């Protein structure tokens, strides 16, 4: 499994929520305490997205653009930045805050998971929310800005069209279909964003290097293996010195430092399960000696595994 797939697989919570809004201007929706990662796209018309708890300027989404919103306490989606919030959505509850205007009809159901007025000239917007969990989820979210916008393009259009079609259907297995389609759209959007972003994660850029990309895959597929730099170099067909230097230059950390950091991320999530002993967690991430694991974990996280467990429960 490649690095991005591994991150998404381990961080991903099930039952992602997909909703479609078909609404004529003026409309403005504020979302408070939303999930850590939201995917917003416009299928027709345009929309404005603003992160209300940062200094990020509003961005305009044209048809086919995709916005990735990470870790906001509150954000607003509207037809225009000047339209004041009319409805606040907190979880599954909705509250009208501006009764002086015609508030968006977020209650009227037009089809499964589809709400609005459905009239000609309306903006058609899709919103998918992920409840990423644990330290692996934090690791993924930390690689993105609060608001990343991927312009419309042929690489994402087919997935958008399919997700929009499936969002309005209600057949057996529909939630599973939507989960996987939203996953697909997220991966395509991440690829597109990191391909054009100067701040793409170093490991993502390193995936294009055959030797280092293969080494990263090996470390993620077998994190508990007792890897040495010499063995990794042999597996990817380079000398030890050349491999170590190139890995460090491309990824930003030496091979075993990267491995330790990834092991501690996995361990931090495993420790959230109160039924799993520290010794079992240690073995799961490649440490036969629980004491050695505890020392490594405290060096990486600043607290012992037992203290970490108490803090996360």
């Amino acid at each position: 499994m490649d690095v991005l797939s591994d991150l998404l697989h381990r961080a991903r919570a099930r039952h992602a929520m997909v909703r479609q809004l078909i609404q004529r201007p003026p409309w403005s929706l504020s979302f408070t305490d939303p999930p850590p990662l939201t995917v917003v796209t416009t299928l027709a018309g345009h929309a404005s997205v603003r992160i209300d708890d940062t200094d990020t300027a509003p961005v305009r989404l044209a048809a086919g653009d995709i916005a990735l919103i990470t870790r906001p306490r509150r954000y607003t989606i509207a037809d225009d930045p000047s339209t004041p919030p009319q409805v606040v959505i907190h979880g599954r509850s909705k509250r009208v805050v501006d009764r002086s205007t015609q508030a968006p009809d977020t209650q009227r159901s037009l089809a499964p998971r589809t709400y609005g007025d459905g009239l000609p000239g309306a903006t058609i917007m899709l919103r998918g929310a992920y409840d990423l969990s644990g330290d692996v989820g934090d690791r993924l979210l930390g690689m993105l800005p609060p608001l990343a916008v991927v312009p419309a393009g042929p690489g994402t259009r087919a997935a958008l069209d399919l997700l929009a079609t499936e969002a309005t259907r209600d057949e057996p297995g529909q939630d599973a279909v939507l989960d996987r389609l939203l996953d697909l759209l997220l991966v395509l959007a991440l690829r597109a964003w990191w391909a054009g972003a100067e701040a793409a994660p170093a490991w993502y850029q390193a995936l294009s290097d055959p030797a280092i990309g293969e080494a990263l895959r090996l470390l993620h597929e077998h994190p508990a293996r007792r890897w040495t730099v010499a063995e990794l170099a042999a597996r990817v067909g380079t000398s030890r010195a050349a491999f170590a230097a190139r890995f460090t230059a491309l990824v930003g950390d030496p091979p075993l430092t990267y491995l330790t950091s990834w092991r501690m991320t996995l361990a931090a999530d495993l420790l959230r399960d109160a039924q799993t002993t520290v010794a079992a967690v240690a073995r799961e991430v490649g440490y036969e000696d629980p004491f050695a694991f505890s020392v490594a974990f405290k060096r990486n996280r600043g607290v012992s595994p037992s203290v970490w467990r108490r803090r996360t429960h």
Side-chain angles (χ1 to χ4, degrees):
M1 185 179 293
D2 66 81
V3 181
L4 180 55
S5 297
D6 193 28
L7 279 170
L8 290 169
H9 173 73
R10 294 179 186 274
R12 172 83 162 76
R14 296 300 174 194
H15 310 302
M17 184 181 69
V18 178
R19 296 291 183 268
Q20 184 170 236
L21 178 70
I22 304 176
Q23 188 72 44
R24 286 191 306 168
W27 58 271
S28 180
L29 309 174
S30 280
F31 296 83
T32 62
D33 194 27
L37 177 61
T38 302
V39 182
V40 175
T41 182
T42 46
L43 302 174
H46 65 271
S48 167
V49 180
R50 181 180 70 245
I51 310 299
D52 297 318
D53 52 355
T54 72
D55 295 330
T56 306
V59 298
R60 186 179 188 274
L61 298 184
D65 291 349
I66 300 170
L68 303 177
I69 304 171
T70 59
R71 289 176 171 165
R73 288 191 294 272
R74 180 181 177 125
Y75 66 90
T76 299
I77 307 174
D79 67 303
D80 187 87
S82 63
T83 304
Q86 300 160 326
V87 175
V88 172
I89 299 174
H90 185 91
R92 296 182 179 273
S93 66
K94 301 177 179 68
R95 178 171 59 89
V96 176
V97 295
D98 185 359
R99 298 186 181 277
S100 64
T101 62
Q102 180 63 42
D105 194 350
T106 58
Q107 301 286 355
R108 182 185 176 194
S109 178
L110 303 174
R113 308 170 194 84
T114 303
Y115 303 88
D117 56 34
L119 297 174
T123 294
I124 303 176
M125 182 186 76
L126 273 178
R127 175 179 175 268
Y130 280 98
D131 189 13
L132 299 181
S133 60
D135 274 49
V136 177
D138 288 343
R139 191 177 179 116
L140 177 61
L141 293 172
M143 299 169 189
L144 289 167
L147 177 59
V149 177
V150 177
T156 56
R157 188 69 225 191
L160 278 179
D161 290 344
L162 186 56
L163 180 60
T165 299
E166 292 295 330
T168 62
R169 303 177 70 179
D170 198 7
E171 298 183 12
Q174 199 66 25
D175 286 341
V177 169
L178 292 173
D179 272 2
R180 284 153 181 78
L181 287 177
L182 190 58
D183 283 346
L184 172 62
L185 185 62
L186 175 61
V187 171
L188 295 177
L190 288 173
R191 281 182 186 171
W193 171 253
W194 283 333
E198 295 180 1
W203 61 260
Y204 187 84
Q205 297 174 329
L207 294 178
S208 61
D209 183 278
I212 306 306
E214 174 64 10
L216 286 167
R217 184 189 67 79
L218 290 169
L219 292 177
H220 276 256
E221 281 194 355
H222 309 286
R225 186 184 178 99
R226 290 190 174 185
W227 291 107
T228 65
V229 176
E231 182 182 5
L232 282 168
R235 293 284 292 270
V236 301
T238 65
S239 71
R240 182 187 183 283
F243 168 75
R246 188 157 183 77
F247 190 104
T248 303
L250 293 180
V251 178
D253 286 316
L256 299 188
T257 301
Y258 178 90
L259 174 60
T260 298
S261 175
W262 178 235
R263 283 174 166 175
M264 295 305 107
T265 298
L266 298 179
D269 281 348
L270 291 169
L271 287 166
R272 295 173 188 270
D273 182 359
Q275 303 303 313
T276 306
T277 66
V278 172
V281 172
R283 289 192 298 272
E284 186 74 16
V285 297
Y287 290 83
E288 292 297 327
D289 180 4
F291 178 75
F293 163 70
S294 295
V295 170
F297 189 91
K298 186 172 184 178
R299 185 184 302 120
N300 182 267
R301 298 282 162 158
V303 295
S304 68
S306 57
V307 171
W308 175 267
R309 169 170 280 169
R310 287 198 299 271
R311 287 182 179 178
T312 54
H313 279 80

